Amino acid sequence: MTWFLNPPEQNLPMILADNGFDVWIANTRGTRFSRRHTSLDPSIPDFWDWSWDELVSFDIPAIFDFVYGQTGQKIDYVGHSLGTLIALASFSEGKLVNQMKSAALLSPIAYLSHMNTALGVVAAKAFVGEITTIFGLAEFDPKGEPVGNFLKSLCAHPGVDCYDLLSALTGKNCCLNSSTIDLFLMNEPQSTSTKNMVHLAQTVRDGILAKYNYGRPDYNVMHYGEATPPIYNLSNIPHDLPLFVSYGGQDALSDVGDVMLLLDSFKFHDVDKLSVQFIKDYAHADFIMGVNAKAIVYNQVVAFFKRQYS
């Protein structure tokens, strides 16, 4: 749904469709569009027993299998934010790459240790394993009362200004239209699992890209056969996979320092297969809701995808 916040002539799926692409859009599990599990109800804790590891191992491969099965064509992937993290981690494990033509990553998140928003830093400290004892192994619903109270407590920290919650989380966006922001706030953010939030916070705190840490060596051994969680090695991503990366100078979640770390893991990538775009004034939400996103970003994405067919 995030991709449709901009009007039709200004959102990426419609622009791609107008350019002759067959467009498939996925919903992340836990959002209101993805709650119809075959046997588990969202009211049961087991429904929420997952982090972004499961999105990497199961969900995104299932989406690729489905689309590839329907079309028989290799896929051009585009992700924003969490959609880039799960793609990069999947590629690094050799998943998806045989079904893929290219990937465009907008405001890529892999490393998160430079994240500098006051709210983000406080939240990352708060989301330790203990939080699951407060919420249980449960839904993290940003619009629900428990999470509302949790956010209020974070916003009470000195230096955290939550007057403008979008900026407090994403950085200073340059190019948002107030009616699009209203549409965003009516529909987002959607629910996820508390475990996913804990895993993202681990990624911030530990400065590495690794599987979920159960917090005790014996638990990790039980799950992984080793005391520390296995690492996703991004330098394993095939060097000839065409990649387009676009990032913003004002982005607080996909901080320039972290994007530099990510680009460093591509240092052996085929030079002609990696395109990088830097947009000085853009923050995290501009990439999907910016009034000029079409002119600045989407036209570049379309051109990048078309080059794969020439």
Side-chain angles (χ1 to χ4, degrees), residues 162-171 173 176 181 184-185 285 289:
C162 292
Y163 171 71
D164 174 1
L165 197 56
L166 189 60
S167 295
L169 281 169
T170 63
N173 296 284
L176 304 188
I181 294 176
F184 170 83
L185 292 172
M289 301 195 288

Side-chain angles (χ1 to χ4, degrees), residues 101-265:
K101 203 172 197 69
S102 69
L105 309 172
L106 312 182
S107 289
I109 283 181
Y111 301 101
L112 282 164
S113 53
H114 289 81
M115 184 180 63
N116 56 13
T117 60
L119 179 59
V121 171
V122 172
K125 288 188 178 130
F127 274 107
V128 287
E130 292 81 86
I131 191 129
T132 48
T133 54
I134 303 169
F135 291 114
L137 189 67
E139 176 170 3
F140 186 84
D141 176 6
K143 297 196 170 355
E145 197 179 339
V147 177
N149 293 336
F150 172 65
L151 270 175
K152 281 196 190 93
S153 72
L154 295 185
C155 292
H157 279 70
V160 180
D161 175 14
C162 292
Y163 171 71
D164 174 1
L165 197 56
L166 189 60
S167 295
L169 281 169
T170 63
K172 197 170 175 353
N173 296 284
C174 67
C175 307
L176 304 188
N177 172 321
S178 59
S179 62
T180 311
I181 294 176
D182 291 342
L183 192 61
F184 170 83
L185 292 172
M186 268 171 12
N187 291 287
E188 308 235 11
Q190 291 272 325
S191 287
T192 187
S193 70
T194 302
K195 187 175 178 182
N196 190 33
M197 297 298 285
V198 172
H199 193 182
L200 288 164
Q202 290 173 357
T203 311
V204 174
R205 288 199 308 270
D206 301 340
I208 50 170
L209 205 60
K211 293 190 189 269
Y212 184 82
N213 190 331
Y214 284 87
R216 280 177 43 178
D218 53 337
Y219 283 15
N220 286 330
V221 167
M222 206 161 69
H223 284 274
Y224 307 120
E226 45 195 300
T228 54
I231 284 172
Y232 291 103
N233 185 351
L234 296 185
S235 58
N236 286 342
I237 294 173
H239 297 165
D240 59 353
L241 176 66
L243 292 175
F244 173 84
V245 175
S246 183
Y247 66 108
Q250 300 297 313
D251 197 325
L253 286 171
S254 173
D255 182 87
V256 170
D258 287 323
V259 175
M260 289 297 134
L261 279 173
L262 170 63
L263 292 175
D264 188 56
S265 59

Side-chain angles (χ1 to χ4, degrees), residues 6 24 29 41 52 87 100 103-104 114 116 123 142 154 188 230 240 261 297 302 306:
N6 261 355
W24 301 73
R29 62 162 94 178
D41 189 83
W52 56 261
M100 197 152 83
H114 289 81
N116 56 13
L154 295 185
E188 308 235 11
D240 59 353
L261 279 173
V297 187
V302 172
K306 284 190 168 170

